[in-house]
């Protein structure tokens, strides 16, 4: 589920892929699938806000805005919770405008869902604003 950024406004499904880079930063690939079945992608790099700590990150996406004003268009991402075995996570930002409930699987049990929602609420997020992932069968092929 997500309280999305502008890039995700038309998403039926969203994915986030992360990979450690040689320089210690993290490559970020955000993918968005529309109801029409089209994929959109945004690539970026996450860097720790405090060297050596990984719970608060600056994420800068490679887009027209960041090319015009490098360093200005950084997203402020906070890792609020990581589930057992890194199977789930809650990621937000300090002004509570954006939130993502992440899972390595397309769906989670109702117990896990409630745990993630509780973690978000404990941090002051309005989880009633979340947009939930659309099932595969509801997307055009």
């Amino acid at each position: 589920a997500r309280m999305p950024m502008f890039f995700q406004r038309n998403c039926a499904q969203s994915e986030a892929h992360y990979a450690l880079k040689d320089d210690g930063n993290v490559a970020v690939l955000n993918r968005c699938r529309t109801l029409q079945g089209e994929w959109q992608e945004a690539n970026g790099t996450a860097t720790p806000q405090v060297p050596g700590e990984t719970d608060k990150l600056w994420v800068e996406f490679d887009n027209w805005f960041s090319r015009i004003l490098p360093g200005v268009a950084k997203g402020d991402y906070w890792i609020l919770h990581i589930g057992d075995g890194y199977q789930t996570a809650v990621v937000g930002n300090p002004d509570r405008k954006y939130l993502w409930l992440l899972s390595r699987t397309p769906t989670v049990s109702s117990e896990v869902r409630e745990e993630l929602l509780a973690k978000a609420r404990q941090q002051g997020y309005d989880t009633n604003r979340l947009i939930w992932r659309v099932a595969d069968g509801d997307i055009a092929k």
Side-chain angles (χ1 to χ4, degrees):
R2 67 200 184 282
M3 289 184 343
M5 300 188 93
F6 181 77
F7 162 80
Q8 297 173 310
R9 70 193 176 284
N10 296 319
C11 293
Q13 297 176 342
S14 293
E15 298 178 355
H17 299 268
Y18 306 98
L20 189 59
K21 296 172 69 169
D22 291 339
D23 64 3
N25 292 321
V26 176
V28 178
L29 168 63
N30 285 349
R31 288 177 34 137
C32 166
R33 191 173 182 198
T34 67
L35 282 172
Q36 294 73 37
E38 299 169 2
W39 285 100
Q40 301 169 353
E41 295 185 349
N43 288 289
T45 299
T47 57
Q49 292 182 9
V50 176
E53 296 185 21
T54 57
D55 61 333
K56 295 178 181 165
L57 304 168
W58 293 117
V59 179
E60 189 168 6
F61 288 98
D62 182 18
N63 57 33
W64 65 269
F65 188 73
S66 63
R67 285 185 214 118
I68 293 171
L69 298 168
V72 173
K74 289 191 276 192
D76 195 0
Y77 288 59
W78 289 13
I79 300 167
L80 305 171
H81 169 75
I82 296 175
D84 293 338
Y86 286 82
Q87 295 302 302
T88 59
V90 177
V91 177
N93 73 328
D95 67 7
R96 292 166 181 74
K97 187 175 178 183
Y98 305 116
L99 177 70
W100 295 271
L101 305 183
L102 305 175
S103 171
R104 292 190 185 272
T105 58
T107 60
V108 295
S109 69
S110 58
E111 179 182 277
V112 169
R113 177 181 166 147
E114 289 307 313
E115 175 189 5
L116 297 175
L117 288 169
K119 297 290 183 187
R121 286 186 202 110
Q122 287 169 0
Q123 296 290 326
Y125 288 87
D126 178 3
T127 58
N128 293 318
R129 294 181 44 225
L130 284 167
I131 299 169
W132 295 90
R133 181 184 193 279
V134 173
D136 288 340
D138 294 333
I139 295 180
K141 301 262 179 198

